[in-house]
Every structure is written in C-alpha cells, then in structure tokens.
Amino acid sequence: MSPEDRMEVLTRQLCAGQSTESNWEHVQQAPPDPIIGVTDAWRADPDPRKLNLGVGAYRTEEGKPYVLKAVREAEQQILADPAMNKEYLPISGNPEFNRLARTLALGPGSSAIQQNRVATVQALSGTGALRVGAEFLSMHLPASIPRIVYLPNPTWGNHKSIFAKAGFQVREYRYFDAATRGLNFAGMVADVSAAPPGSVLLLHACAHNPTGVDPSPEQWSRLLEVARSGGLVPFFDMAYQGFASGDLDADAASVRLFLEAGLELVLAQSFAKNMGLYGERAGALSVVSKTKEVATRVESQLKLVVRPMYSNPPMHGAAIAARVMGDPKLNALWKEELRGMAERIKSMRQVLYDQLVARNVPGDWSFVLKQIGMFSFTGMTRHQCEQLVSKWHVHLTLDGRISMAGLSAATAPYLAEAIADVIQNA
Ligand code: KET
C-alpha cells in the first residue's frame, strides 16, 4: 500500500471510530539535534576518558558545571525575601530585568534608551528572543517586503529553523574563509550589498558561533554603511556578551555602533553563557524604533506574539539576573567571575596550541589562539570528527567545532593526542 493509500485508510478508520493503529503510526524518527544530541551521546558513553566538547557550556578546571557565586548569592537573597511570590509575571516579563538587560547591551548613555525608543520583552533565553523577534518581523514588516533573512555561512544551526518557522526565506552571506580561517570580508560585503531592501540581516554581536571570527571595528563601520544604504533590518544575536573580551561593554561595541548611527534594530540577548543561567532560560528581546510612540505600539504587538506562544515568561532566572545586574556588590562580583571565565577559556587556547605544536601535528594551528569566544573551529573533516567520537570518546559537533570552555589543563593533552591521531590516520 502506498503511504497515501495508507493515510486514507487510516483517516477513514479514524472517522469511523474503528482505528486499531496509532494515529501517529506514520510519524518518522527525527535525527538527534546536531548540538544538544552531542551531550546525549556523551552521557550515554561509558568510557571514563570521555570529553564533552559539544555544547557551548562553561566548565571548571575540574570539568564541572559552574554556578556563579553572584548567582548563588542572588538566589539566597530571593529565597529570603518575604515579598517574593509566584504570581504570573506580566506578558512582557519582569520590568526591572528588561530595563537592566537592555541597558547592559545598549549602554546607560544610549540615546535610544534615554528617549524611550526601546521596547523590551523578557524571553525564553536567546532562542526564545530570536523566535519572538522573527515572528514579530514576519507579522509587521511592511506588506510589500518579502520576508528574507540573511544568515552568515556558517552560523549557529538553530538560526535557520527559527527564521524558517516564522515564515522567512533563508539566505546566506559569505562569512568564513576556510583557507585563511578568517573572515571573508569582501564576500560578506558583496552578499550583504546584494540583499533586497527590507531584508533582515542577522549579525552575531561578538564571538561568532561557530567560527570564533569577528569583524574588526573598521569592518563593523563598513557593515553599518552597507546595512544603512541597503535599507536592511539589522538583527543582532548577542549570546556571548562578555565572553569575547571578558568585558561587557567592549563586547557590545557592534550593537552600540549601529544604535548610535540612528538605525532601527532588533536585539536578542541571552544570559545563558555570561551568567551561567543556561537552564533558567533568561533572555530578552529588544526592538529599537525611531520614536517613542512607535516603540510603545511595538511593545503592545510583542505581547500579542508572546501571549498565544507561552503566555508569560518564567520568573526565577530573570529575578536572579535582575539582582545580579542591579545590586552593585553582586554586579562587581559577576563581572569579576565573567572575566575569570573568559580568561580560563583563553588560557585553554594556549594550552591546546602548545600541545598540538609539541606533537608536530601537521598544519598551522595558530588560529586556535586567534579565534574569539567559547569555540575553536578546527577545520577537521566530518570523518575526522566521527573518529574523535568513536575512537577517542571526544564528543564534538561534526562541523569540527570544539567548545574550549569544556577543556581543562588536565584534558588538553588527551585532546591533542586524539587530534594528532585523527589528522594523521583518519
Ligand atoms: N545564539 C547563538 C549564536 C548561540 O550560540 C546560542 C546557543 C543561542 C543563541 C541560544 O542560547 P540560549 O540558551 O537559548 O540562550 N548556543 C549553544 C547551545 C545551543 O545550541 O542551544 C551552542 O551552540 O552550543
């Protein structure tokens, strides 16, 4: 029986109330997620040497997940607060969190904030912010404009699905140059310049995932001009503020550059990495408009996106983040811990590089030192990555991305040995 005939029989049986098979009998097994699936495979791996270098999550020198001291302290304060309750948050989330989050990204002196031109809603971390932002744009860009988004090639895998779900046609702009392991800036400018007016231009604010390659300040200025003259809608994904340089303000420079040039823009923020709030799903979506009046209407429409999706956001993570950002003592402690995390990752770059050079692994590995943020994009082939997993129990995404934040001085030599083997023998 053809699948179509089978469906018809099933439908008829169902209507007659006599189906013996599951209504979901035809459902196909979906593949595991290319990033989250790596953690599942690592969990299931019984080998004691196993390493999880897949998902971008910070680990200590001992390989353990890290809850920041500032976060623990904020949580204790929340628990001890007699005014704490579990009522629903507003549809747009915790107002104090929203205010502090946008100020963290856009800067306290930003004219957009001072002129109340920013509509912010709390979101289910960075992913949720992207999804709500994409949905809002899909609904409210002028009707005459086709829904097209330009993503860097490569980009975080979920970007494509998020924008496609919101009805966008997904296109790519050139970004990574495999030969130099740097930025293909000429290709990027050419592709972005050719985008039809009104297209959404997705930009990683800093610490590009997966490549670890960011534009220079001069290149950002040029991109700003291209976006402005092309009438594009910049959508910044800022999942790693503080993880590129260790400094929250320095890492927000690209967003602030576009903002101060007077462009309208969309911004997705995540506190997963920089505050270690991964599972708390603390994030924010901000839409910057030309006037306060437009921003007010935009906020009302953002609420209409949120309400039928999940009604209102969860409170605990946002309450923690608001305390950490808002309390001067906790804020200082957080910044110190953030700098510490960024520095530990950086030091892992040097350790891995030294280990690879000491083993005379063929190739120029200096990119390990140059790349920025949580990841190293190694250029290893899919086959080499598969060998790392099956033979060495080093779990990573099959595009050759390594989470440097999951590495320690104790495990770097083992990784270098494994890489040396698969590069020479796979
Ligand atoms: N943007 C980028 C660029 C990104 O790398 C991630 C997460 C997110 C947004 C969303 O993070 P959230 O937890 O929703 O705030 N990236 C890591 C985890 C994942 O894939 O979900 C990763 O690439 O490993």
Side-chain angles (χ1 to χ4, degrees), residues 152-156 175-178 181-183 204 207-215 349 367-368 370-378 399-402:
N153 179 20
T155 192
W156 180 51
Y175 191 83
F176 186 66
D177 183 346
R181 289 211 171 84
L183 183 62
H204 294 228
H208 182 274
N209 175 15
T211 66
V213 174
D214 284 350
R349 294 188 177 279
F367 68 86
V368 174
K370 284 186 216 134
Q371 291 173 346
I372 295 165
M374 247 183 175
F375 304 106
S376 208
F377 199 51
T378 63
D399 59 357
R401 185 189 86 167
I402 288 175

Short mmCIF file of all heavy atoms in Angstrom, two decimals, residues 152-156 175-178 181-183 204 207-215 349 367-368 370-378 399-402:
data_model
loop_
_atom_site.label_atom_id
_atom_site.label_comp_id
_atom_site.label_asym_id
_atom_site.label_seq_id
_atom_site.Cartn_x
_atom_site.Cartn_y
_atom_site.Cartn_z
N PRO A 152 24.89 34.39 8.36
CA PRO A 152 26.27 34.11 7.96
C PRO A 152 26.45 32.61 7.65
O PRO A 152 25.76 31.77 8.21
CB PRO A 152 27.08 34.49 9.20
CG PRO A 152 26.12 34.51 10.34
CD PRO A 152 24.77 34.78 9.77
N ASN A 153 27.38 32.34 6.75
CA ASN A 153 27.74 30.94 6.45
C ASN A 153 29.15 30.68 6.95
O ASN A 153 30.08 31.27 6.41
CB ASN A 153 27.65 30.69 4.94
CG ASN A 153 28.03 29.27 4.59
OD1 ASN A 153 27.98 28.38 5.44
ND2 ASN A 153 28.43 29.05 3.36
N PRO A 154 29.31 29.86 8.01
CA PRO A 154 28.27 29.14 8.73
C PRO A 154 27.69 29.99 9.86
O PRO A 154 28.19 31.06 10.14
CB PRO A 154 29.04 27.95 9.32
CG PRO A 154 30.41 28.52 9.61
CD PRO A 154 30.66 29.54 8.53
N THR A 155 26.65 29.44 10.49
CA THR A 155 26.09 30.11 11.66
C THR A 155 25.63 29.06 12.67
O THR A 155 25.74 27.85 12.43
CB THR A 155 24.94 31.04 11.25
OG1 THR A 155 24.60 31.90 12.35
CG2 THR A 155 23.69 30.27 10.83
N TRP A 156 25.14 29.52 13.81
CA TRP A 156 24.54 28.62 14.80
C TRP A 156 23.39 27.89 14.11
O TRP A 156 22.52 28.53 13.49
CB TRP A 156 24.04 29.44 15.99
CG TRP A 156 23.39 28.65 17.08
CD1 TRP A 156 23.89 27.54 17.70
CD2 TRP A 156 22.12 28.91 17.69
NE1 TRP A 156 23.02 27.10 18.66
CE2 TRP A 156 21.93 27.92 18.67
CE3 TRP A 156 21.14 29.88 17.50
CZ2 TRP A 156 20.79 27.88 19.48
CZ3 TRP A 156 20.00 29.84 18.29
CH2 TRP A 156 19.83 28.85 19.27
N TYR A 175 30.94 34.29 4.95
CA TYR A 175 31.49 34.78 6.22
C TYR A 175 32.88 34.19 6.50
O TYR A 175 33.87 34.90 6.56
CB TYR A 175 30.53 34.44 7.37
CG TYR A 175 30.90 35.15 8.66
CD1 TYR A 175 30.51 36.47 8.88
CD2 TYR A 175 31.68 34.54 9.63
CE1 TYR A 175 30.88 37.16 10.03
CE2 TYR A 175 32.05 35.22 10.79
CZ TYR A 175 31.64 36.52 10.98
OH TYR A 175 32.01 37.19 12.11
N PHE A 176 32.93 32.88 6.60
CA PHE A 176 34.19 32.23 6.98
C PHE A 176 35.00 31.87 5.74
O PHE A 176 34.45 31.36 4.77
CB PHE A 176 33.87 30.97 7.78
CG PHE A 176 35.07 30.28 8.37
CD1 PHE A 176 35.81 30.90 9.35
CD2 PHE A 176 35.44 29.01 7.95
CE1 PHE A 176 36.91 30.27 9.92
CE2 PHE A 176 36.53 28.37 8.51
CZ PHE A 176 37.27 29.00 9.49
N ASP A 177 36.30 32.16 5.81
CA ASP A 177 37.19 31.78 4.73
C ASP A 177 38.02 30.59 5.21
O ASP A 177 38.89 30.74 6.06
CB ASP A 177 38.10 32.98 4.38
CG ASP A 177 39.02 32.68 3.21
OD1 ASP A 177 39.15 31.50 2.84
OD2 ASP A 177 39.59 33.64 2.68
N ALA A 178 37.72 29.41 4.65
CA ALA A 178 38.36 28.20 5.14
C ALA A 178 39.87 28.24 4.93
O ALA A 178 40.63 27.68 5.71
CB ALA A 178 37.75 26.97 4.47
N ARG A 181 41.17 30.71 7.50
CA ARG A 181 40.48 30.53 8.78
C ARG A 181 40.14 31.88 9.40
O ARG A 181 40.13 32.07 10.61
CB ARG A 181 41.30 29.68 9.75
CG ARG A 181 41.37 28.23 9.32
CD ARG A 181 41.46 27.32 10.52
NE ARG A 181 41.31 25.94 10.16
CZ ARG A 181 42.29 25.16 9.71
NH1 ARG A 181 43.49 25.65 9.56
NH2 ARG A 181 42.06 23.90 9.42
N GLY A 182 39.88 32.86 8.54
CA GLY A 182 39.49 34.20 9.00
C GLY A 182 38.20 34.61 8.32
O GLY A 182 37.46 33.76 7.80
N LEU A 183 37.97 35.91 8.29
CA LEU A 183 36.73 36.44 7.74
C LEU A 183 36.88 36.69 6.24
O LEU A 183 37.87 37.29 5.81
CB LEU A 183 36.42 37.77 8.46
CG LEU A 183 35.13 38.49 8.09
CD1 LEU A 183 33.92 37.63 8.40
CD2 LEU A 183 35.04 39.81 8.86
N HIS A 204 26.04 38.25 14.37
CA HIS A 204 26.46 37.83 15.71
C HIS A 204 27.18 39.04 16.33
O HIS A 204 28.18 39.51 15.78
CB HIS A 204 27.44 36.67 15.64
CG HIS A 204 26.85 35.39 15.10
ND1 HIS A 204 27.02 34.17 15.71
CD2 HIS A 204 26.08 35.15 14.00
CE1 HIS A 204 26.40 33.23 15.02
NE2 HIS A 204 25.83 33.79 13.97
N ALA A 207 31.94 37.25 19.28
CA ALA A 207 32.26 35.83 19.49
C ALA A 207 31.41 34.93 18.60
O ALA A 207 30.65 34.08 19.06
CB ALA A 207 32.10 35.45 20.96
N HIS A 208 31.55 35.14 17.30
CA HIS A 208 30.75 34.40 16.32
C HIS A 208 30.81 32.89 16.56
O HIS A 208 31.88 32.31 16.73
CB HIS A 208 31.26 34.72 14.90
CG HIS A 208 30.47 34.06 13.82
ND1 HIS A 208 30.74 32.77 13.40
CD2 HIS A 208 29.42 34.48 13.09
CE1 HIS A 208 29.88 32.45 12.44
NE2 HIS A 208 29.07 33.47 12.24
N ASN A 209 29.61 32.29 16.54
CA ASN A 209 29.48 30.84 16.71
C ASN A 209 29.09 30.24 15.37
O ASN A 209 28.06 30.63 14.83
CB ASN A 209 28.40 30.56 17.77
CG ASN A 209 28.10 29.09 17.92
OD1 ASN A 209 28.85 28.23 17.47
ND2 ASN A 209 27.00 28.78 18.57
N PRO A 210 29.81 29.29 14.80
CA PRO A 210 30.88 28.50 15.42
C PRO A 210 32.31 28.96 15.11
O PRO A 210 33.23 28.31 15.58
CB PRO A 210 30.67 27.12 14.75
CG PRO A 210 30.24 27.47 13.35
CD PRO A 210 29.41 28.72 13.49
N THR A 211 32.53 30.02 14.35
CA THR A 211 33.89 30.22 13.80
C THR A 211 34.87 30.90 14.75
O THR A 211 36.08 30.80 14.56
CB THR A 211 33.84 31.06 12.50
OG1 THR A 211 33.40 32.39 12.85
CG2 THR A 211 32.91 30.46 11.48
N GLY A 212 34.36 31.67 15.74
CA GLY A 212 35.27 32.43 16.61
C GLY A 212 35.94 33.58 15.88
O GLY A 212 36.95 34.11 16.33
N VAL A 213 35.36 33.97 14.73
CA VAL A 213 35.94 35.05 13.92
C VAL A 213 34.96 36.23 13.91
O VAL A 213 33.80 36.07 13.53
CB VAL A 213 36.17 34.56 12.47
CG1 VAL A 213 36.62 35.71 11.58
CG2 VAL A 213 37.19 33.44 12.45
N ASP A 214 35.42 37.39 14.34
CA ASP A 214 34.59 38.60 14.37
C ASP A 214 35.15 39.66 13.42
O ASP A 214 36.37 39.73 13.23
CB ASP A 214 34.57 39.21 15.79
CG ASP A 214 33.68 38.42 16.75
OD1 ASP A 214 32.93 37.54 16.29
OD2 ASP A 214 33.76 38.69 17.96
N PRO A 215 34.28 40.53 12.88
CA PRO A 215 34.80 41.67 12.10
C PRO A 215 35.59 42.61 13.01
O PRO A 215 35.33 42.68 14.22
CB PRO A 215 33.52 42.36 11.60
CG PRO A 215 32.43 41.34 11.72
CD PRO A 215 32.81 40.48 12.89
N ARG A 349 43.19 27.98 25.08
CA ARG A 349 43.65 28.11 23.70
C ARG A 349 45.18 27.91 23.64
O ARG A 349 45.70 27.18 22.81
CB ARG A 349 43.28 29.48 23.13
CG ARG A 349 41.80 29.69 22.98
CD ARG A 349 41.47 30.97 22.24
NE ARG A 349 40.04 31.08 22.08
CZ ARG A 349 39.33 30.46 21.14
NH1 ARG A 349 39.95 29.72 20.25
NH2 ARG A 349 38.03 30.56 21.07
N PHE A 367 45.44 29.54 14.44
CA PHE A 367 44.05 30.02 14.52
C PHE A 367 43.43 29.70 15.89
O PHE A 367 42.54 30.40 16.34
CB PHE A 367 43.20 29.41 13.40
CG PHE A 367 42.99 27.92 13.53
CD1 PHE A 367 41.96 27.42 14.30
CD2 PHE A 367 43.85 27.01 12.89
CE1 PHE A 367 41.76 26.05 14.43
CE2 PHE A 367 43.66 25.65 13.03
CZ PHE A 367 42.63 25.17 13.81
N VAL A 368 43.92 28.66 16.53
CA VAL A 368 43.38 28.30 17.86
C VAL A 368 43.56 29.48 18.82
O VAL A 368 42.70 29.77 19.65
CB VAL A 368 44.06 27.03 18.42
CG1 VAL A 368 43.61 26.74 19.85
CG2 VAL A 368 43.77 25.83 17.53
N LYS A 370 43.97 32.67 17.81
CA LYS A 370 43.35 33.90 17.30
C LYS A 370 41.83 33.92 17.45
O LYS A 370 41.23 34.98 17.60
CB LYS A 370 43.69 34.06 15.81
CG LYS A 370 45.12 34.54 15.58
CD LYS A 370 45.35 34.84 14.10
CE LYS A 370 46.75 34.46 13.66
NZ LYS A 370 46.80 33.72 12.41
N GLN A 371 41.20 32.77 17.38
CA GLN A 371 39.74 32.76 17.39
C GLN A 371 39.22 33.25 18.75
O GLN A 371 39.89 33.13 19.77
CB GLN A 371 39.22 31.35 17.04
CG GLN A 371 39.49 31.02 15.57
CD GLN A 371 39.15 29.59 15.19
OE1 GLN A 371 38.92 28.73 16.03
NE2 GLN A 371 39.12 29.33 13.89
N ILE A 372 38.01 33.80 18.70
CA ILE A 372 37.46 34.54 19.84
C ILE A 372 36.26 33.81 20.42
O ILE A 372 35.44 33.28 19.68
CB ILE A 372 37.02 35.95 19.36
CG1 ILE A 372 38.25 36.76 18.91
CG2 ILE A 372 36.28 36.71 20.45
CD1 ILE A 372 37.89 37.99 18.11
N GLY A 373 36.16 33.81 21.76
CA GLY A 373 34.95 33.30 22.40
C GLY A 373 35.07 31.87 22.87
O GLY A 373 36.16 31.40 23.17
N MET A 374 33.94 31.19 22.88
CA MET A 374 33.88 29.88 23.50
C MET A 374 34.44 28.75 22.64
O MET A 374 34.78 27.70 23.15
CB MET A 374 32.41 29.56 23.76
CG MET A 374 32.06 29.49 25.22
SD MET A 374 30.35 29.04 25.42
CE MET A 374 30.33 28.90 27.17
N PHE A 375 34.46 28.98 21.32
CA PHE A 375 34.70 27.85 20.43
C PHE A 375 35.98 27.97 19.62
O PHE A 375 36.48 29.06 19.37
CB PHE A 375 33.53 27.70 19.45
CG PHE A 375 32.21 27.56 20.13
CD1 PHE A 375 31.30 28.60 20.14
CD2 PHE A 375 31.88 26.39 20.80
CE1 PHE A 375 30.08 28.49 20.79
CE2 PHE A 375 30.66 26.26 21.45
CZ PHE A 375 29.75 27.31 21.44
N SER A 376 36.47 26.82 19.20
CA SER A 376 37.50 26.77 18.20
C SER A 376 36.93 26.00 17.01
O SER A 376 36.35 24.92 17.19
CB SER A 376 38.73 26.06 18.75
OG SER A 376 39.86 26.54 18.11
N PHE A 377 37.05 26.59 15.84
CA PHE A 377 36.52 25.97 14.62
C PHE A 377 37.72 25.39 13.90
O PHE A 377 38.50 26.11 13.28
CB PHE A 377 35.83 27.06 13.81
CG PHE A 377 34.87 26.57 12.78
CD1 PHE A 377 33.87 25.65 13.11
CD2 PHE A 377 34.92 27.04 11.48
CE1 PHE A 377 32.96 25.22 12.16
CE2 PHE A 377 34.01 26.61 10.52
CZ PHE A 377 33.03 25.70 10.87
N THR A 378 37.89 24.07 13.98
CA THR A 378 39.19 23.47 13.66
C THR A 378 39.42 23.15 12.20
O THR A 378 40.55 22.92 11.79
CB THR A 378 39.36 22.15 14.43
OG1 THR A 378 38.32 21.26 13.97
CG2 THR A 378 39.25 22.35 15.93
N ASP A 399 30.85 19.47 12.63
CA ASP A 399 31.40 20.51 11.77
C ASP A 399 32.82 20.88 12.21
O ASP A 399 33.43 21.80 11.66
CB ASP A 399 30.51 21.76 11.78
CG ASP A 399 30.33 22.34 13.18
OD1 ASP A 399 30.84 21.77 14.15
OD2 ASP A 399 29.66 23.40 13.30
N GLY A 400 33.35 20.19 13.23
CA GLY A 400 34.73 20.44 13.67
C GLY A 400 34.84 21.52 14.73
O GLY A 400 35.94 21.97 15.05
N ARG A 401 33.71 21.90 15.31
CA ARG A 401 33.73 22.92 16.37
C ARG A 401 34.04 22.28 17.72
O ARG A 401 33.50 21.24 18.06
CB ARG A 401 32.35 23.59 16.43
CG ARG A 401 32.28 24.74 17.41
CD ARG A 401 30.85 25.22 17.59
NE ARG A 401 30.14 24.45 18.61
CZ ARG A 401 28.98 24.80 19.14
NH1 ARG A 401 28.36 25.88 18.73
NH2 ARG A 401 28.40 24.04 20.06
N ILE A 402 34.95 22.91 18.46
CA ILE A 402 35.30 22.42 19.79
C ILE A 402 34.93 23.49 20.80
O ILE A 402 35.31 24.65 20.64
CB ILE A 402 36.83 22.19 19.89
CG1 ILE A 402 37.25 20.98 19.09
CG2 ILE A 402 37.26 22.02 21.33
CD1 ILE A 402 38.76 20.80 19.08
#
